[in-house]
Amino acid sequence: MGSYVNLLKKAVYNQHLSREEIIRLLSAAGEEEIRMLYAAADEVTRVHLGNEVHLRGIIEFSNHCKRNCLYCGIRRGNKKLTRYRMEPDEIVNTALYAFKLGYPTVVLQSGEDDWYSMEIMCWIVKNIKKTANLAITLSLGEKSSQEYHRLKQAGADRYLMRFETSNQKLYGQLHPGVSYENRMQCLFTLRELGYELGTGFLVGLPGQTIADLAGDILLLQKLDADMAGIGPFIAHPDTPLKGCGSGNLDMVLKVLSIVRLLMPQTNIPATTAVGTVDNIGRQRALKAGANVIMPNVTPQKYRELYQLYPGKICIDERPEHCRICVEGLIMSAGKIRGSGFGSSPKWKERAAVIQP
Ligand code: 5AD
Ligand code: FES
């Protein structure tokens, strides 16, 4: 026990631990150790980021995807799925509705869908920016440097793309026909272009070890992510991974807490997947280091078609409902809703230096 407390202190003071030390923290099994870990993460969050929880409204605008990730419900190989695309003006209007509901940020997410050309995507971004003082996060997958550059010029502020796992062999098995190197290159390019960068990984993938999770945490640090999305893998019945066991909530929360200790200024969402494996999962995450929630603002008719994993929460809800629901969720975790765009403090510092 004593050594566990010392390790927690070391994490807080040094913001650096070796792989072995992270493994030791992740191996906490006793209730008391786990409680101390979550409490330390909550305290570090409070000291660095206050009590504020920032909201981002997410619009899932297309479930077409050219990739075939083994775990994902909208992979191109899933022939059972009805596919949809929102029209560009419908996407803009949905973003403006999110603004009206009081969201300071919208996240535009889709499968990797080339139907939306650069012209169309830039038109969408510009038109949202023209009308509303919204931060725009894009989550469109892998693109070329030129494309990322054009989207940034059009007004996009942030980009979200998880590396999913830092284990290159596992990455290769889960993502047929694509390269780990290219994903890394995309992430570094996004950073260089001045995007606020969100990335992250899945916990509980088949074949993933605790040492892999320690590697994932170290990679997040190496990428100096402004936001870290961490969620449990949930097996989808219409994918090759059907029947595999799903990620365990306590392991997700342990990972999340350690990320908070080592990266005190990084935004960490209480992910929808965490809310799916446990109905108070998001509240628990908010008490273990998370400081962001991303409620769904996708029009209700499309929601059931964007199930990256089964049992996803909020499928039957409308955007207004989720808006009210998260307010209660934040309160029940003893937090308050954030004001402003909720950029990570370290991104603000970087932006001040790069764009004086
Ligand atoms: N279980 C949990 N999360 C998933 N994602 C995709 N499929 C699943 C699944 N079966 C996550 C990926 C992706 C994000 C948008 O959703 O990590 O980056
Ligand atoms: Fe959608 Fe609670 S956030 S119902």
Side-chain angles (χ1 to χ4, degrees), residues 71-73 109 139 162 164 183 201-202 231-236 273 306 308-310:
Y71 47 80
C72 186
Q109 188 179 79
S139 183
R162 294 183 177 173
E164 315 294 359
R183 199 152 189 95
F201 53 93
L202 288 163
F233 157 71
I234 305 171
H236 192 298
Y306 201 86
L308 310 180
Y309 46 84

Side-chain angles (χ1 to χ4, degrees), residues 52-298:
E52 294 195 330
V53 175
H54 297 286
L55 298 183
R56 332 276 198 212
I58 180 162
I59 304 169
E60 300 150 338
F61 66 87
S62 162
N63 70 353
H64 287 259
C65 193
K66 66 181 182 194
R67 303 204 9 159
N68 220 6
C69 311
L70 259 59
Y71 47 80
C72 186
I74 67 167
R75 65 200 301 271
R76 73 159 190 271
N78 181 3
K79 304 290 182 216
K80 283 193 191 165
L81 186 64
T82 306
R83 306 279 172 170
Y84 72 90
R85 284 189 180 105
M86 285 172 64
E87 290 295 326
D89 60 345
E90 190 184 11
I91 299 172
V92 173
N93 289 335
T94 305
L96 300 182
Y97 185 56
F99 184 63
K100 223 173 102 189
L101 286 176
Y103 289 115
T105 300
V106 283
V107 181
L108 306 184
Q109 188 179 79
S110 65
E112 289 203 4
D113 183 3
D114 291 334
W115 185 87
Y116 298 88
S117 64
M118 268 303 118
E119 286 68 29
I120 294 177
M121 274 325 297
C122 291
W123 182 89
I124 293 168
V125 172
K126 279 187 193 147
N127 274 277
I128 296 172
K129 280 287 189 184
K130 199 171 71 187
T131 327
N133 187 24
L134 275 169
I136 299 185
T137 305
L138 297 178
S139 183
L140 316 173
E142 293 180 24
K143 304 239 168 240
S144 70
S145 310
Q146 289 86 338
E147 289 172 318
Y148 287 144
H149 181 68
R150 278 185 69 183
L151 292 165
K152 187 84 184 61
Q153 294 294 104
D157 301 283
R158 305 174 178 149
Y159 208 95
L160 217 61
M161 186 166 68
R162 294 183 177 173
F163 54 78
E164 315 294 359
T165 174
S166 62
N167 177 330
Q168 295 193 40
K169 185 160 167 253
L170 186 57
Y171 187 93
Q173 289 164 353
L174 294 171
H175 304 100
V178 297
S179 96
Y180 178 86
E181 286 73 26
N182 192 56
R183 199 152 189 95
M184 286 302 126
Q185 191 50 55
C186 286
L187 291 171
F188 283 110
T189 302
L190 287 163
R191 274 292 306 261
E192 277 170 25
L193 289 170
Y195 280 94
E196 197 173 338
L197 181 63
T199 185
F201 53 93
L202 288 163
V203 175
L205 286 164
Q208 189 181 44
T209 64
I210 290 199
D212 289 335
L213 292 172
D216 294 338
I217 294 173
L218 289 170
L219 180 54
L220 271 185
Q221 280 199 288
K222 184 172 161 201
L223 290 165
D224 194 19
D226 298 302
M227 171 159 141
I230 298 155
F233 157 71
I234 305 171
H236 192 298
D238 301 325
T239 64
L241 299 186
K242 67 168 180 258
C244 293
S246 294
N248 164 280
L249 179 62
D250 270 307
M251 185 54 86
V252 175
L253 295 180
K254 282 194 264 182
V255 170
L256 195 156
S257 300
I258 295 167
V259 171
R260 170 56 69 219
L261 300 183
L262 297 175
M263 304 179 75
Q265 301 202 327
T266 293
N267 282 324
I268 304 180
T271 55
T272 306
V274 157
T276 298
V277 290
D278 185 318
N279 52 15
I280 57 159
R282 287 182 297 178
Q283 286 92 324
R284 288 188 63 194
L286 288 179
K287 290 182 184 165
N291 71 321
V292 168
I293 300 188
M294 298 167 65
N296 201 329
V297 282
T298 311

Side-chain angles (χ1 to χ4, degrees), residues 296-326:
N296 201 329
V297 282
T298 311
Q300 206 244 319
K301 61 181 170 185
Y302 302 121
R303 291 189 178 198
E304 65 169 328
L305 302 175
Y306 201 86
Q307 296 202 56
L308 310 180
Y309 46 84
K312 191 166 160 227
I313 51 172
C314 308
I315 294 293
D316 296 326
E317 275 71 25
R318 294 176 183 282
E320 313 78 73
H321 183 105
C322 291
R323 180 66 190 81
I324 296 167
C325 169
V326 290

